[in-house]
Amino acid sequence: FMHGLDQRLWRTVEDPVVRGEGPGARMLAANLAREAASDGSGRARAVALARFAMADGVLQRAGEEMLWYTAGIVLHLADEEVGEVWDAAVARAVERGSLFSVLATHLWRGFTQWNHGDLRAARRSLETAVGQSETWGLAPGAPQGRTFLTAVLLDLGDTAGARACLERMRGWVRGTEGQRLLGESEARVLNAEGRHEEALAALDGVGHLQPGELRREGARVGG
């Protein structure tokens, strides 16, 4: 799903049944929650799966924190309060001495703060995340961090800062998802600069990198 592959190559007609209480069951639940949230197939089911994935600290103890974050984002998108989740995650990451976990937590906490309109807090969280990522050369998460930070700066009215953030992002793009995020960020900044035709061209340049269902939905909206 991060590489623009046709969903028919990796999704089944019927969702797998989540059995058991261990890390494997929680990992499956987190992914199924993300899929349900992405395609809008069922809010209640997505929330239930995400809650199960995060429950009891099973995924964290197993070291599967990224899927734990995935479940947390699903709950956030379903308007559940997850602020304390990120606070606890930062504390645990610091306790473990995991730089990757610390920066990932700041990244997704910044994303949720941005969505809640807490722009200054979001800027602090995201600047921490991208600073750690780039200082230590950790490419995973860098495009997302720069994408979110660019959008936050635009919402704060700092178009020049957003442009500078975007330009820094170019050296950290990896894979299909990174290319898509770069194109979307470019469009946001160009739009804020009043360069609307160029913004549309930037989106056209990455439209093929969206999953098939999103492309079709975009075509319906555009039409």
Side-chain angles (χ1 to χ4, degrees):
F1 70 89
M2 294 176 65
H3 299 279
L5 296 175
D6 190 322
Q7 294 189 22
R8 291 172 295 183
L9 298 176
W10 54 270
R11 289 191 67 171
T12 58
V13 176
E14 296 183 1
D15 288 324
V17 177
V18 179
R19 296 187 176 90
E21 302 286 330
R26 312 284 178 155
M27 292 165 65
L28 177 58
N31 270 316
L32 292 174
R34 182 201 55 75
E35 290 179 10
S38 296
D39 61 22
S41 61
R43 180 186 184 280
R45 178 171 172 274
V47 168
L49 286 165
R51 286 176 177 167
F52 172 72
M54 298 185 71
D56 306 321
V58 174
L59 281 181
Q60 284 187 305
R61 288 195 297 273
E64 295 294 342
E65 292 180 327
M66 292 308 297
L67 287 170
W68 187 83
Y69 297 141
T70 297
I73 291 299
V74 169
L75 293 180
H76 164 69
L77 295 175
D79 295 324
E80 301 251 330
E81 177 54 52
V82 293
E84 292 183 1
V85 166
W86 305 128
D87 293 340
V90 169
R92 179 176 173 81
V94 170
E95 179 183 319
R96 293 178 57 222
S98 171
L99 175 64
F100 184 79
S101 296
V102 170
L103 75 86
T105 305
H106 282 299
L107 169 67
W108 293 110
R109 179 164 64 175
F111 174 78
T112 59
Q113 289 167 329
W114 169 41
N115 286 349
H116 281 303
D118 192 353
L119 299 179
R120 298 193 183 281
R123 180 176 183 172
R124 288 193 297 271
S125 294
L126 294 169
E127 285 179 341
T128 298
V130 299
Q132 291 172 332
S133 178
E134 295 173 9
T135 297
W136 294 95
L138 298 174
Q144 290 86 349
R146 285 285 173 191
T147 295
F148 302 155
L149 183 55
T150 297
V152 168
L153 291 170
L154 288 175
D155 286 347
L156 285 167
D158 185 3
T159 303
R163 166 59 70 181
C165 185
L166 171 68
E167 296 305 322
R168 285 289 302 275
M169 179 181 174
R170 295 188 192 281
W172 291 91
V173 169
R174 301 288 188 277
T176 301
E177 186 184 27
Q179 294 172 28
R180 176 178 60 81
L181 292 173
L182 177 62
E184 292 173 355
S185 293
E186 179 83 58
R188 283 195 181 101
V189 174
L190 287 168
N191 190 54
E193 293 172 338
R195 298 158 64 183
H196 308 303
E197 293 297 328
E198 293 174 74
L200 286 173
L203 288 178
D204 286 340
V206 296
H208 67 288
L209 301 178
Q210 291 280 9
E213 287 299 321
L214 293 180
R215 283 202 302 273
R216 285 191 285 275
E217 183 64 26
R220 287 196 291 270
V221 172

